[in-house]
Amino acid sequence: MTKIKFLKIQFTDTLQPWEIPAFRGAVAEKVGQEHHWFHNHQQQAGYFYRYPKIQYKCAGHHPMMLCLHEGVEEIHKLFEEADWSLHLRKRDLEMRIHRLDLHEFEMKLLEQPQSYHIHRWIALNEKNYDEYQQITRLTDKITFLEGKLAAQIINFAKSIAWQIPQRFEVHIKELSSPHWVKVKDTRMMAFDACFATKIFLPDYLGLGRKVSVGYGVVRREKSKKSTSI
């Protein structure tokens, strides 16, 4: 049995999605660059190629930090600061806590597939973007993306030392037309999608590329209750 600590912290300030990288940079500067879980960069040079355990997001136009596993302990580096306020380029954030939710989830396979939405999903890297562009049939494109999404779920599971006990499937039920997003002056293809799988995924978990700055946010699809007339 693998359990995961999962902490969501939402702040009272307002934030636009394009400000998330600056939000992340300001937090990293506040706690100190030596605390690498906040920014995922090595002190000398280079980048830690690992699943980010502290993720920065915008939820309801409020800044939010998602911490899991090691990130739950690391967040104390921020809270130990006497002053939590941040400077974001041309303005400041007070960083008063609006809501704090701490959960411990059991990672498991569900009996029935659960439907999820994924928002601003950067599914492809440079190599498989070229492969995707060469596919002509829409059904084949969807199958290709389903494989990438399954691999990203496996990558997340490995990061928390969870061995998924058996083979699972991912079915994309709805897929938006691709749209372009800009990350550090680089244009990347992103999707909004609805998919189903038997893997339990907590709300606000990030999948795909650039999850540390708010891309690929997963939310469970709420079941529609039938109403009698």
Side-chain angles (χ1 to χ4, degrees):
M1 181 185 300
T2 299
K3 292 186 177 182
I4 178 174
K5 288 184 179 179
F6 203 82
L7 174 65
K8 297 198 303 286
I9 312 159
Q10 192 171 8
F11 299 92
T12 57
D13 305 86
T14 59
L15 192 76
Q16 299 300 321
W18 57 267
E19 294 182 293
I20 297 175
F23 171 43
R24 179 196 190 204
V27 172
E29 187 68 25
K30 173 68 72 172
V31 300
Q33 296 295 325
E34 67 273 18
H35 300 300
H36 51 79
W37 281 111
F38 286 88
H39 53 79
N40 240 20
H41 288 83
Q42 301 185 55
Q43 276 192 282
Q44 300 302 320
Y47 183 80
F48 286 107
Y49 290 96
R50 63 190 181 191
Y51 184 83
K53 301 296 178 60
I54 297 179
Q55 301 172 17
Y56 302 80
K57 304 175 190 287
C58 180
H61 296 294
H62 295 288
M64 188 177 82
M65 296 179 70
L66 174 66
C67 310
L68 53 151
H69 247 43
E70 295 94 332
V72 175
E73 300 302 322
E74 285 293 306
I75 196 62
H76 294 294
K77 302 292 193 308
L78 175 61
F79 292 158
E80 287 167 0
E81 295 289 328
D83 175 20
W84 296 354
S85 64
L86 303 175
H87 180 68
L88 253 67
R89 296 175 182 169
K90 297 181 179 180
R91 68 189 186 96
D92 295 327
L93 298 182
E94 293 184 3
M95 295 290 284
R96 290 198 300 256
I97 292 177
H98 170 64
R99 182 170 178 174
L100 188 150
D101 296 300
L102 176 63
H103 299 280
E104 187 174 67
F105 295 116
E106 178 186 345
M107 300 308 299
K108 59 186 177 182
L109 279 171
L110 304 170
E111 293 184 6
Q112 298 296 326
Q114 168 69 51
S115 291
Y116 300 92
H117 290 287
I118 185 167
H119 180 55
R120 298 203 307 166
W121 174 41
I122 302 178
L124 308 170
N125 59 28
E126 291 181 7
K127 179 181 177 181
N128 50 43
Y129 169 78
D130 291 335
E131 293 179 51
Y132 178 83
Q133 291 295 80
Q134 293 174 15
I135 300 172
T136 55
R137 295 177 58 189
L138 178 59
T139 53
D140 293 339
K141 283 180 179 286
I142 290 174
T143 299
F144 186 82
L145 291 174
E146 288 173 339
K148 300 308 171 190
L149 186 51
Q152 290 157 10
I153 292 172
I154 292 170
N155 181 56
F156 157 68
K158 287 180 178 178
S159 78
I160 59 170
W162 179 39
Q163 180 66 45
I164 300 176
Q166 63 189 61
R167 183 180 176 85
F168 68 95
E169 295 183 347
V170 172
H171 295 293
I172 293 178
K173 304 191 296 180
E174 297 177 20
L175 183 69
S176 72
S177 297
H179 55 277
W180 294 97
V181 296
K182 198 172 184 180
V183 185
K184 289 187 177 180
D185 298 322
T186 302
R187 293 173 74 244
M188 296 183 176
M189 180 185 285
F191 301 89
D192 293 332
C194 178
F195 68 95
T197 184
K198 287 188 175 182
I199 300 290
F200 167 75
L201 299 171
D203 281 344
Y204 290 102
L205 184 77
L207 292 176
R209 303 187 67 197
K210 306 301 179 181
V211 301
S212 64
V213 287
Y215 291 93
V217 176
V218 173
R219 297 285 303 275
R220 282 171 288 179
E221 186 180 71
K222 293 182 172 60
S223 60
K224 297 178 181 178
K225 295 182 179 180
S226 59
T227 56
S228 56
I229 300 176

